[in-house]
Amino acid sequence: MLTERKTALLKTLIGEYIESASPVASESVTKKHSLGVSSATVRNYMADLEDHGYITRPHHSSGAVPSDKGYRFYVESLADNGNLPEDFQYSARDQLKKAEQDIEVWTHLAATVLAQFVNNAAVVTYPRQPVSKVLRINLVHVQESLAFLVVVLEAVKLRKQLLPLTRPLSSDDMQKFSNKLTDSMVGLNRWEIMERSITASELERTVTDRVLDIMETEDQESYRNHYVEGLRHLVNQPEFSQGDKAREIVAIFEDKDLPRVISSEAPATGRMKVIIGTENHSESLRPLSMVLCQYGLPGGGLGSVGALGPTRMEYSRTIAGVRFISSLLTEVM
């Protein structure tokens, strides 16, 4: 257990390092901050913090750098006040409210707004159901023997395919047929649709098979839809600005498994999770810290919001930003 003065010193040191990205010397801390102790005492405290694993020294004679253990202590001690600039809140809410009622528009916009605010990378995944369920089925007239099959799934997902028809149908007939199919499938997943025992026409069987194919694909690839913004902010951080490091970071965000990792790590809606450096299960993510939260409605589709940056990220600002964007997306849904 750290004493009050050692805690104050550790917080001060971490704050300095977050701002400067340079090892922090005891002389610098003593000159800039009134800690109520001598410079010799500060040096002794820093030696004790190093012995207990809260800080490290790149070189014996150099200043101190926070360890992942130090950052964890720092994050746990942050006040949960969630204060954000009012102009940011107003601007973000205004942009999302004005966006079209299109999931692609507002997930992309949310990632962009968050990345700009935290000056790091942001990832927003689409809201998804554990399994896809039918909300609406439409056949849209193209010509007598050709239609667009439009399948609307819960969580605002729309999928469409061209469908050749074995017999001509008018626009009115297609609408009646669409209503009949919707009534028979609404709220069902693909397993429930397959279990139904009904007498169906050839056209109904054809459309049902297409719908099942679409739902199976959706269930298998449910993590593929997401937006990443702010990668340029991340690779401009001092830790990653060199060629090899920058390439490693770009490779992380090109990994198709990233949205699955973020979705699996995100806690329940309204709760925050901060994963720092070596706490990441994936070795490739260990140079980074992640701040994650879910958004959406249980039973109505859940997505994830994440901010990724160096372990030196501004945790207080990032936590507040992720919390606000996730709550705003829930409000939009």
Side-chain angles (χ1 to χ4, degrees), residues 3-291:
T3 65
E4 185 177 338
R5 284 184 171 177
K6 288 178 184 177
T7 297
L9 174 60
L10 179 58
K11 288 182 178 180
T12 299
L13 189 150
I14 292 176
E16 284 276 319
Y17 185 71
I18 287 173
E19 183 177 344
S20 69
S22 298
V24 181
S26 58
E27 293 81 2
S28 172
V29 174
T30 305
K31 288 179 181 178
K32 288 185 177 181
H33 304 277
S34 178
L35 298 176
V37 294
S38 67
S39 57
T41 301
V42 168
R43 287 194 294 273
N44 289 335
Y45 284 176
M46 288 180 67
D48 194 44
L49 290 173
E50 184 178 10
D51 288 342
H52 286 84
Y54 291 101
I55 61 175
T56 62
R57 294 175 187 265
H59 306 288
H60 181 69
S61 60
S62 68
V65 172
S67 66
D68 289 352
K69 180 180 179 180
Y71 283 124
R72 172 52 60 192
F73 183 89
Y74 177 78
V75 167
E76 297 297 334
S77 69
L78 290 174
D80 188 21
N81 51 31
N83 289 332
L84 285 171
E86 289 188 7
D87 57 344
F88 167 73
Q89 296 184 54
Y90 175 82
S91 175
R93 179 172 278 108
D94 185 59
Q95 289 182 68
L96 263 70
K97 293 292 187 182
K98 287 180 179 178
E100 300 173 28
Q101 293 182 343
D102 185 323
I103 186 173
E104 293 188 20
V105 174
W106 45 263
T107 49
H108 190 186
L109 184 58
T112 301
V113 169
L114 180 59
Q116 290 173 345
F117 180 72
V118 301
N119 197 38
N120 272 310
V123 178
V124 178
T125 68
Y126 284 23
R128 61 179 295 274
Q129 297 280 357
V131 291
S132 300
K133 294 182 179 181
V134 172
L135 188 63
R136 176 75 193 173
I137 295 172
N138 279 332
L139 282 182
V140 180
H141 186 272
V142 177
Q143 51 184 259
E144 283 191 342
S145 298
L146 188 65
F148 259 124
L149 169 62
V150 181
V151 181
V152 184
L153 303 174
E154 289 185 1
V156 210
K157 292 183 179 178
L158 182 147
R159 301 291 177 256
K160 53 190 177 182
Q161 290 184 1
L162 276 173
L163 180 70
L165 302 175
T166 56
R167 63 182 177 86
L169 287 178
S170 67
S171 294
D172 287 343
D173 287 339
M174 286 188 188
Q175 186 61 56
K176 291 176 183 177
F177 183 72
S178 299
N179 292 339
K180 179 182 177 181
L181 278 180
T182 296
D183 290 342
S184 66
M185 294 186 188
V186 65
L188 302 181
N189 62 43
R190 63 190 176 97
W191 303 109
E192 293 167 334
I193 293 171
M194 287 189 290
E195 287 172 359
R196 293 180 312 150
S197 177
I198 60 171
T199 302
S201 67
E202 182 181 356
L203 179 58
E204 285 177 303
R205 289 194 297 271
T206 299
V207 174
T208 299
D209 288 344
R210 287 290 189 94
V211 171
L212 290 172
D213 288 343
I214 289 171
M215 295 176 75
E216 182 178 11
T217 299
E218 187 64 33
D219 290 344
Q220 290 175 347
E221 301 182 7
S222 57
Y223 293 106
R224 75 187 188 279
N225 293 322
H226 68 287
Y227 277 103
V228 175
E229 288 292 334
L231 185 55
R232 67 186 184 282
H233 300 312
L234 187 53
V235 297
N236 282 332
Q237 297 287 357
E239 294 90 335
F240 310 127
S241 59
Q242 300 302 315
D244 289 345
K245 293 292 184 181
R247 283 190 288 272
E248 289 174 11
I249 295 300
V250 171
I252 290 171
F253 285 87
E254 288 181 341
D255 187 344
K256 294 180 180 179
D257 205 36
L258 180 61
R260 185 198 61 78
V261 171
I262 288 175
S263 295
S264 64
E265 290 282 6
T269 307
R271 297 177 59 194
M272 302 295 301
K273 186 173 185 180
V274 180
I275 304 174
I276 300 169
T278 52
E279 296 173 358
N280 281 292
H281 294 113
S282 172
E283 186 174 350
S284 65
L285 289 170
R286 289 177 184 171
L288 303 171
S289 285
M290 301 194 296
V291 179

Side-chain angles (χ1 to χ4, degrees), residues 297-309:
L297 306 171
L302 294 172
S304 302
V305 178
L308 289 78

